[in-house]
Structure formats: C-alpha cells, structure tokens
Amino acid sequence: MASAQQAQLQEPPWVWAQSSASGVHVPDAELTDHETDLQNKCGASEEGLRRVAQRLVLRKTLDLPYLDLDGLTFAQRAAGDAHVWPRAWIVSGRAMDHDATVAKLAQWRTTFHDIGERRCGVASGYARDGTQVVAAIALDAAADLVTPIPTKTHAGTWLSIDAKMIAPATGAHVVVVGPSGDPRTVPSTFDGTNLRARFAPERAGEFTVQIVADVATGPRPVLEAKTFADVDPPQRMPSLNAPGESAGNGVTDERAALAAMIQALRAQRSLGALRRDARLDALALAHAERMKNAHTVGHDVGDGDPAERLQNAGLSARESGENVAHAQSVLLAHRALWQSPSHRANLERAEYDAFGVAVLDDPDGSVWTCEIFARALR
C-alpha cells in the first residue's frame, strides 16, 4: 500500500470527484475476472503499476491528454513505483471482444524486451457513453527496492538505500542529484546481489536517487526514486523542460536538433561547447542501429562497450561517455536523459570537448538515440 506521503502525489481529488459526477466508472481496487485474464497475459502483477494503469483509464474516459513518458514516470513515482522504462498500452471501443483484447495485449508484450522480470499493471473502465477502456503498463524490472525511500524527509537526515538485483550484475552504485549542483556518486557497498548506501539531503528541495547497475548490456539505471526535503511533493506534474531543448525548435533534421539541444544545454550551464566529430557520429549511428534491431537500449548490444567500439574504430580518448535512449521523440529523449542523474553527468561533464550523435526513426514512430562524448579524441 502507498503511504500517506506517496498518496499526496496521486491524481488531485477533483479528478476523482469529476469522474463520479460525470458518470464515469472508476476502476475498482480489486481485479475483475476479465482484468485477471489480462494480468496473467501481461506479466507479474505490481500494485504501483496497476495504479498507473487506473490513471490511464481514468484520463481516457475523461478525454484528458495521453500521458507521455514524462507523465508515465511521474505517475509511477506518485504510486511509489521505482522501476524505470515503462511502456503503456490502451485500447477502447464498444462491445469489445474479451478474447481478442487478451490476444492483442499478449502480442503487445512481445514487442519489447529487456532484462529482469516482466512486471505489469492492468485496469479497465467505462466512459459515460458505454465505451470500454482497457490499459496496461509494463516494464522489465532488473532490481527492487527492499525498503522504500521515503517521499518526504528533512535536510540533514540520513536516508538508507537498500536494493536487491533481479538481473545479474557485476557492479552497482548510487547517483543523486538535488535542486542545485552536479550529480554525485554516493559511497555504497555491493555484494553481487544487494546494494546498500546512505545519503543525507544537504538542503531543502527535490532529490532524485538513481541506482545504476553494470548488467549484460552495460551500465544502466535500474531504479529511481524521489525524496523531498522540507518541501511538499507536487500534486500535479511539474514542467520537465530540459535546458537547451528550445534550440531544437524548427530544426527538421533530427540529428541536428539533438546536437543543437546538447550545445545549448551546455551553454546554459556555463560549460564549453563541444566539437562535432564525424567519426563519433558514425559510431553513434552504428550503435543506434544495433539497439533498434535488437529492440534493446544498452551500451553493449553485441557490439562492445563504448571504449571497445572506439578502439575497434582506431580511435582513442582520455575520457569517453555515452548516453542512449528510446523515446517518442528527440525532444523527449533529451528530456529523459537530462532527468536521469547518471546521463546528466555526461551532458554536464566539463572535460569533454567532442561529441557525436545519432537518431534513428522506428516504424512505431519512436526514435532511438545515441550520444557519444570524448576528451582529447585522436
């Protein structure tokens, strides 16, 4: 069950009141028989994801805008779910055939795969005109929080981070970013399965706690939580605009747009401009193609980690880093990378002086992006 602190982040009360007053059937707390069939086809049930699915149904029945990745992630955190990289599915119609709906959901869940255990939440409801809405949100969980990180805390209070890996990992660490300053790595211990760390917010404000694990596809975020020191959590999704994103406005070439956003971000953060390098562009493009073909986001999808790929291309650098993403647009990829503490560290690393980018369109309308950064590239 969500705590009272977590409940503060759920849909504002007026939304639920409006749903009842307008004749909308709000999803029940318990699964119906039909929802149980859908859940069995989708994956292991997770309460926080079911709450997000309920929210998707409610928004659809009220004709509210569809939640993009930012909205889905906000809804997850509001429901106390710390997993990353969710996917959402919604169907609606009159007199929907249940078996056909179950088959469509089963087909959807095969269109993506990651590492770990498939988790899912499903919900259904009806609009006032009798239209049925069915929603699911699914992800592959690579780790779990053993103890939830409190939503509210006080500056100077030590918080314990205790996580357990589900997917095999050779290492793991914790990155924290607060209302100001750069992302920082928190001292931690990892025994191959369990990760433990402690940190104390140094001032009032919002803090993002991210657990990064070294898995088969390379280092990647596996869990993320937010804690609010001496301030109240937002009850509605705040603006998640990333620095530099306006630089991509009106730029039709997606690679040029992404490069412009990165340069503008660094300028706004008083960091030096990067030199665009065609060799890094080529490496980024090759890796984006590998991710797209494998339907997997990772730093190693069978082509080696970033350092190996540089070496295999006859290149060397004193330092290098890479950001990868799969999102509904270049803009949302840029935002997602900025919101992620470990990826933000690459965007803001002052020592980098060169970069390359790639963007590939997916048939489903999404994009696969890769950003490679380097220092003293030769």
Side-chain angles (χ1 to χ4, degrees):
M1 298 294 290
S3 67
Q5 295 168 345
Q6 292 167 337
Q8 294 183 53
L9 281 171
Q10 295 174 16
E11 289 282 12
W14 70 268
V15 172
W16 295 95
Q18 180 182 347
S19 66
S20 301
S22 62
V24 171
H25 171 68
V26 177
D28 297 322
E30 299 297 327
L31 288 171
T32 65
D33 290 343
H34 286 179
E35 288 172 338
T36 299
D37 288 344
L38 292 164
Q39 183 68 63
N40 290 338
K41 286 293 184 183
C42 191
S45 178
E46 187 155 305
E47 181 183 353
L49 296 180
R50 171 153 166 83
R51 292 187 179 192
V52 179
Q54 290 175 325
R55 187 168 184 168
L56 293 176
V57 169
L58 185 59
R59 293 182 67 88
K60 179 69 174 178
T61 57
L62 293 173
D63 291 324
L64 295 175
Y66 178 76
L67 291 178
D68 59 18
L69 180 59
D70 289 340
L72 288 174
T73 301
F74 177 79
Q76 276 185 269
R77 304 300 172 255
D81 189 276
H83 296 113
V84 297
W85 300 356
R87 279 89 166 179
W89 177 83
I90 300 178
V91 293
S92 62
R94 298 288 192 90
M96 291 171 56
D97 181 82
H98 174 66
D99 291 338
T101 302
V102 172
K104 289 178 182 177
L105 176 61
Q107 176 60 35
W108 168 73
R109 75 179 302 277
T110 66
T111 61
F112 61 93
H113 60 86
D114 201 351
I115 57 173
E117 179 182 278
R118 178 60 54 90
R119 305 283 179 82
C120 189
V122 300
S124 63
Y126 292 88
R128 183 170 52 184
D129 63 1
T131 298
Q132 183 182 12
V133 179
V134 178
I137 179 168
L139 50 80
D140 291 316
D144 284 322
L145 280 177
V146 177
T147 304
I149 297 173
T151 304
K152 294 192 68 174
T153 186
H154 297 288
T157 298
W158 285 95
L159 303 179
S160 296
I161 301 166
D162 188 359
K164 182 177 182 178
M165 290 298 303
I166 299 173
T170 57
H173 62 278
V174 178
V175 182
V176 175
V177 64
S180 63
D182 297 330
R184 67 184 190 276
T185 299
V186 175
S188 59
T189 61
F190 181 62
D191 63 8
T193 300
N194 300 291
L195 170 75
R196 293 183 176 86
R198 297 178 74 223
F199 94 101
E202 69 277 10
R203 52 163 293 183
E206 174 185 333
F207 289 79
T208 300
V209 181
Q210 186 180 77
I211 296 173
V212 179
D214 299 318
V215 295
T217 56
R220 54 154 285 185
V222 293
L223 292 168
E224 192 172 285
K226 290 185 180 293
T227 188
F228 297 83
D230 300 314
V231 296
D232 291 328
Q235 293 199 21
R236 291 174 176 82
M237 189 174 75
S239 172
L240 297 178
N241 292 355
E245 67 175 50
S246 62
N249 294 346
V251 181
T252 56
D253 181 276
E254 292 177 316
R255 289 187 303 169
L258 182 58
M261 286 189 276
I262 293 172
Q263 296 283 38
L265 180 152
R266 290 179 64 89
Q268 290 184 30
R269 305 293 286 180
S270 300
L271 297 166
L274 301 174
R275 174 177 53 82
R276 182 90 176 267
D277 190 289
R279 297 168 297 175
L280 295 182
D281 278 349
L283 286 177
L285 179 60
H287 188 64
E289 289 176 338
R290 295 285 297 221
M291 291 193 300
K292 176 183 174 182
N293 293 336
H295 298 285
T296 300
V297 177
H299 296 289
D300 184 350
V301 286
D303 54 348
D305 63 30
E308 289 179 284
R309 284 184 269 122
L310 280 172
Q311 184 177 12
N312 291 339
L315 302 175
S316 65
R318 289 187 184 177
E319 294 180 74
S320 62
E322 181 177 72
N323 286 344
V324 291
H326 180 212
Q328 289 304 306
S329 68
V330 172
L331 172 61
L332 291 179
H334 182 67
R335 287 183 179 178
L337 294 172
W338 169 254
Q339 293 295 329
S340 168
S342 55
H343 295 92
R344 184 185 300 191
N346 276 333
L347 291 166
E348 293 190 313
R349 190 163 184 80
E351 289 79 6
Y352 290 145
D353 53 26
F355 78 128
V357 298
V359 179
L360 281 181
D361 294 330
D362 194 277
D364 67 6
S366 61
V367 296
W368 298 83
T369 67
C370 179
E371 306 167 350
I372 301 179
F373 305 89
R375 176 191 178 196
L377 182 68
R378 300 194 309 273

